[in-house]
Amino acid sequence: GAVVSQHPSWVICKSGTSVKIECRSLDFQATTMFWYRQFPKQSLMLMATSNEGSKATYEQGVEKDKFLINHASLTLSTLTVTSAHPEDSSFYICSATNAMGGSEKLFFGSGTQLSVL
Amino acid sequence: GENVEQHPSTLSVQEGDSAVIKCTYSDSASNYFPWYKQELGKRPQLIIDIRSNVGEKKDQRIAVTLNKTAKHFSLHITETQPEDSAVYFCAALGNQFYFGTGTSLTVIP
């Protein structure tokens, strides 16, 4: 199946710093990528939908100036957590849909555990 | 918008028994229903999916049933094994994906 690579898998940072998370589709073109936040043993909370070449669409309650999303190519989307604070600590996961294989199946990245001190 | 509910939130079964997880959805326009298995700290993995024009689909020990009229779909795992222990999520695709709240399944050896 299609592979989505997400880096870093784990990051610890000081409060006030910014953290960038990358999501790459390795063997397919992803017209749409999604970013989620997940708390332990809870479901995926969609943060934003990212379409290549256009601005991301954010879900209600998600600050677009805090969670900057860039989807500059069909294989790469980035999420930058700006001025991170301890309450931003969470597991962040991206997913992508395969433009060539139809838009139904979602392929997930391996996730990034962010800990803000 | 869509609202996906999932039950139960936790489920423990003895090895070899069956496990059933149910989801309901509200948007009749939803037409694709995948199930994901997620182990702790790892990415969700698609284990089975069903489209709205099909009532049942089976893949070895895993099956999914869909009742469009009642707007619910279920995951069935037979002959459960300890490695089936994980969190399972249902989802419904309408204009976007909506995820259920997850079921933590524990298979007791």
Side-chain angles (χ1 to χ4, degrees):
Chain A
V3 177
V4 175
S5 174
Q6 184 174 342
H7 294 281
S9 58
W10 184 42
V11 58
I12 301 174
C13 69
K14 293 182 178 180
S15 184
T17 60
S18 294
V19 175
K20 179 185 282 189
I21 303 170
E22 291 190 351
C23 183
R24 293 179 183 272
S25 56
L26 298 185
D27 52 1
F28 68 99
Q29 293 182 325
T31 53
T32 305
M33 288 188 174
F34 306 89
W35 288 95
Y36 309 86
R37 185 171 179 176
Q38 187 178 33
F39 294 101
K41 292 197 173 181
Q42 293 190 22
S43 188
L44 302 165
M45 292 172 46
L46 180 64
M47 298 174 65
T49 301
S50 165
N51 291 296
E52 184 266 338
S54 61
K55 291 184 178 180
T57 302
Y58 290 81
E59 295 298 302
Q60 191 173 9
V62 178
E63 299 177 57
K64 62 179 181 180
D65 293 330
K66 179 167 185 63
F67 298 99
L68 300 178
I69 291 173
N70 183 282
H71 192 165
S73 75
L74 283 172
T75 59
L76 174 64
S77 178
T78 60
L79 167 67
T80 301
V81 183
T82 63
S83 187
H85 291 285
E87 57 265 30
D88 299 324
S89 299
S90 188
F91 193 58
Y92 293 87
I93 304 180
C94 66
S95 70
T97 57
N98 183 339
M100 298 303 292
S103 60
E104 287 180 336
K105 293 190 187 296
L106 278 180
F107 302 97
F108 287 88
S110 52
T112 299
Q113 183 64 54
L114 171 63
S115 297
V116 185
L117 303 177
Chain B
E2 177 65 278
N3 181 36
V4 178
E5 295 187 357
Q6 183 171 344
H7 300 280
S9 57
T10 59
L11 178 61
S12 293
V13 298
Q14 291 288 334
E15 182 178 0
D17 289 348
S18 296
V20 180
I21 304 170
K22 298 182 180 181
C23 285
T24 61
Y25 63 99
S26 60
D27 187 356
S28 57
S30 293
N31 56 13
Y32 174 66
F33 307 92
W35 284 91
Y36 298 92
K37 174 183 179 182
Q38 186 180 23
E39 297 177 8
L40 187 63
K42 296 187 177 179
R43 76 185 82 198
Q45 300 273 12
L46 176 68
I47 56 172
I48 197 166
D49 55 11
I50 192 167
R51 291 174 177 79
S52 58
N53 59 347
V54 176
E56 184 175 357
K57 183 177 178 181
K58 189 174 181 180
D59 182 5
Q60 299 183 334
R61 296 186 298 109
I62 297 173
V64 56
T65 58
L66 171 65
N67 184 325
K68 286 177 57 180
T69 303
K71 296 193 187 69
H72 66 71
F73 55 111
S74 300
L75 176 71
H76 304 254
I77 306 174
T78 59
E79 301 173 29
T80 54
Q81 302 167 1
E83 50 265 38
D84 293 331
S85 297
V87 178
Y88 292 81
F89 294 102
C90 64
L93 176 61
N95 60 340
Q96 68 178 52
F97 276 94
Y98 294 88
F99 289 90
T101 48
T103 297
S104 179
L105 172 65
T106 302
V107 179
I108 304 167

